[in-house]
Amino acid sequence: MRPFHEPDTSRQFIPADIKARVMPAVLDELARWGVERFSIEALAERHRLDAAMIYRYWGDRQRLIMDAALDDAEAIREALDTGSLRGDLLALARHIAAQINTMHGRIFLRALVMDGRGHHDTDTRLNYWRERFAVVRTVIDRARQRGELRDGINTLAAVQIVSSPLYIRGLYGDGPVDDGYCEIIADMAWHALARK
């Protein structure tokens, strides 16, 4: 039976030195074993970390996976704020491509969309994509506030216009996603979304 440990709610934050040791190990484990086979005990043993300390700060595997997967959320929001819809769409495409173009990023992407065998893993995937959408939707929300979007644009569909072709390349191809492809996708998305 899998142990469940409540996180230490008296702590307001996880110390930076602990995050710096744990997050790369989590991403490494996810890339090697996927979501289904991810285990805090195995992570701790392979990376010489204290399992009790991990449970104390994160509570369970799902929270740990989500924290690692979304660790860069605030940096992404800032990187995607170029001041224009066209610039933001290109920044988004480049960001996704940069993630896909790493070995860990591509394997992690595949682990998040394939082989959902357990309910907790389905929840983990859904939570990840929901949180990731919340981060990147700021591109569309800002464009709407600036009056750059044409009427009737659905936010989810707008994000998917940019992200889906890139994720498909990451899922089914092994070659790098080049900057020229990012520019093509961003330009097509801009033409689909922008007020003319």
Side-chain angles (χ1 to χ4, degrees):
M1 185 169 183
R2 189 171 57 87
F4 176 80
H5 301 262
E6 288 292 337
D8 182 351
T9 54
S10 67
R11 295 185 184 271
Q12 296 299 312
F13 66 95
I14 299 167
D17 63 319
I18 290 176
K19 281 194 91 164
R21 284 188 298 139
V22 174
M23 293 296 101
V26 174
L27 293 174
D28 182 64
E29 288 293 297
L30 287 168
R32 289 173 187 262
W33 307 107
V35 176
E36 280 76 24
R37 294 172 58 195
F38 181 87
S39 157
I40 289 177
E41 289 73 17
L43 161 84
E45 183 178 334
R46 270 190 284 274
H47 294 272
R48 298 181 184 182
L49 297 167
D50 179 8
M53 177 267 300
I54 294 171
Y55 280 116
R56 183 168 62 250
Y57 285 111
W58 282 276
D60 63 24
R61 66 190 288 280
Q62 185 180 70
R63 185 171 169 205
L64 180 60
I65 291 169
M66 293 297 295
D67 198 14
L70 300 169
D71 189 43
D72 60 349
E74 198 50 47
I76 295 170
R77 279 193 182 94
E78 291 175 13
L80 300 183
D81 191 0
T82 67
S84 73
L85 173 61
R86 191 173 217 144
D88 288 357
L89 292 170
L90 181 56
L92 174 58
R94 285 174 170 159
H95 172 76
I96 293 170
Q99 287 182 321
I100 290 169
N101 285 339
T102 67
M103 181 188 69
H104 280 93
R106 194 166 299 228
I107 293 170
F108 185 54
L109 171 65
R110 292 170 180 172
L112 283 168
V113 296
M114 296 179 178
D115 267 346
R117 295 184 198 111
H119 178 69
H120 61 275
D121 296 319
T122 299
D123 288 346
T124 300
R125 287 180 173 86
L126 290 174
N127 286 336
Y128 170 79
W129 290 113
R130 190 176 297 120
E131 292 297 320
R132 184 58 71 180
F133 170 70
V135 171
V136 300
R137 74 169 293 161
T138 58
V139 167
I140 304 305
D141 292 342
R142 280 193 300 260
R144 185 172 279 121
Q145 291 167 359
R146 291 189 301 250
E148 292 182 272
L149 291 184
R150 64 180 177 80
D151 293 336
I153 294 295
N154 176 280
T155 303
L156 176 60
V159 169
Q160 289 173 336
I161 287 172
V162 181
S163 59
S164 296
L166 296 160
Y167 286 136
I168 292 295
R169 286 273 300 261
L171 288 171
Y172 296 107
D174 291 323
V177 178
D178 62 71
D179 197 59
Y181 187 73
C182 292
E183 290 177 357
I184 289 168
I185 296 302
D187 191 57
M188 289 174 64
W190 182 81
H191 281 290
L193 303 173
R195 184 185 299 279
K196 302 295 193 289

